[in-house]
Amino acid sequence: MPDTIVRIDPWNPDRELIARAAVTLSEGGLVAFPTETVYGLGGNGLDPEAARRIYRAKGRPSENPLILHVASPAEADSLADITPNAEKLIEHFWPGPLTIVLHSKAIVPLTVRGGLETVAIRMPAHPVALALIEKAGFPIAAPSANRSGRPSPTDAKSVFEDLGGSVDLILDGGATRYGVESTVIDVTGNDVVLLRPGGMSVEDLISVVGSVSSPDGEHVLKRSPGTRFRHYAPGIPLLTWREGEEIRFAGDEHGKKRRVISYMGMRRFPEETLRSIYFEDPENYARGLFSAMRELERSGAEVIIAEWPEVEGVGRAIQDRLRRASGGH
Ligand code: AMP
Ligand code: MG
């Protein structure tokens, strides 16, 4: 195993290892670490140079802003103007897979914010992430630890696969629990606006704030630059399929080695396939989707066919990721 990858107990993280990782961050280095959503590529969130290293390592456009990870709600107060909606949501859902966008204070470098007046903040529900942020003593900027455009990493091996040479340390805390990224919402105003569906369901948000608006594509593009880019895509074509539907092949995929990712309909899948990955419910589908994409890509498959889930709960986030991974096919 490469020596940048170090195992860490996700429930009871080793203090010396956390201290070592925190020193790496305070010296301007990059540390990949597990959260409850996916693995993050962490750097000092108040250091513009560290932010530039993150963009470079990921090959990420510098106008696609980074999420700041904090270890407490009080830490968010020092970074942004907390609105009443934000306060309510923080109380209910932090720590957890919910990122809130707020008006930024001057302390957050513009590089981190991709030049915007707003900043995105989250308190992760993972002992390793929380211990690291606490020990560092500053917020950690941490986008998903993949090359830009690739499926997000849900284990340390996938981080190494994408970023091996450009990260100083990878804390390996095993597979992540949600498997999809956080839900991102704009709470700068009275209206709560969904910018990216994710691990926290819209139904849960509505139960606390009454309503959540989902602006059309163009609006989201303006408000959340990251959604503009092609994303989450394996190195082979991915098509989506709904039970009872014919598969609409986009090009010459017909004779190719097809593999299926499915959660409900696999047994009723219309054509024989050589190998499939089956999940028993939407939660497990979300948890395993990105690693399934990577696994099938490594297995020599030429086309991935992924089942299109219902929109409820985490299904909304799965739909979003499949849409972007398939480029709309
Ligand atoms: P990632 O870190 O790769 O999970 O992506 C972060 C997501 O949060 C992207 O979709 C960004 O566009 C979004 N985001 C980060 N900061 C802001 C912000 N200030 N305003 C709107 N969206 C943001
Ligand atoms: Mg990402």
Side-chain angles (χ1 to χ4, degrees), residues 251-279:
D252 61 346
E253 291 94 348
H254 227 304
K256 297 198 170 166
K257 278 189 227 156
R258 283 160 282 144
R259 301 289 189 279
V260 175
I261 302 174
S262 167
Y263 82 108
M264 285 293 284
M266 190 193 72
R267 290 184 201 95
R268 286 156 292 182
F269 193 75
E271 299 181 45
E272 196 179 313
T273 48
L274 293 168
R275 170 119 173 277
S276 306
I277 295 181
Y278 175 70
F279 301 105

Side-chain angles (χ1 to χ4, degrees), residues 187-250:
V187 285
T188 51
N190 293 329
D191 215 21
V192 173
V193 183
L194 180 68
L195 299 180
R196 175 180 75 184
M200 168 84 27
S201 77
V202 170
E203 293 87 342
D204 281 351
L205 296 175
I206 289 173
S207 73
V208 170
V209 291
S211 72
V212 172
S213 58
S214 315
D216 60 38
E218 209 168 301
H219 246 89
V220 172
L221 286 188
K222 281 208 195 101
R223 290 209 200 199
S224 187
T227 55
R228 175 188 319 152
F229 304 101
R230 186 165 180 251
H231 243 108
Y232 316 120
I236 48 178
L238 181 144
L239 311 176
T240 59
W241 165 80
R242 254 177 267 238
E243 206 204 327
E245 252 185 15
E246 290 280 312
I247 301 168
R248 282 193 294 270
F249 288 105

Side-chain angles (χ1 to χ4, degrees), residues 60 64-65 67 101 116 118-120 143-144 184 195-196 223-226:
R60 179 170 173 129
N64 184 3
I67 295 173
V101 171
L116 299 174
T118 52
V119 61
S144 49
V184 181
L195 299 180
R196 175 180 75 184
R223 290 209 200 199
S224 187

Side-chain angles (χ1 to χ4, degrees), residues 44-61:
N44 180 346
L46 300 181
D47 173 6
E49 196 44 51
R52 278 190 278 272
R53 279 195 72 190
I54 292 176
Y55 289 114
R56 231 180 294 132
K58 281 181 62 75
R60 179 170 173 129

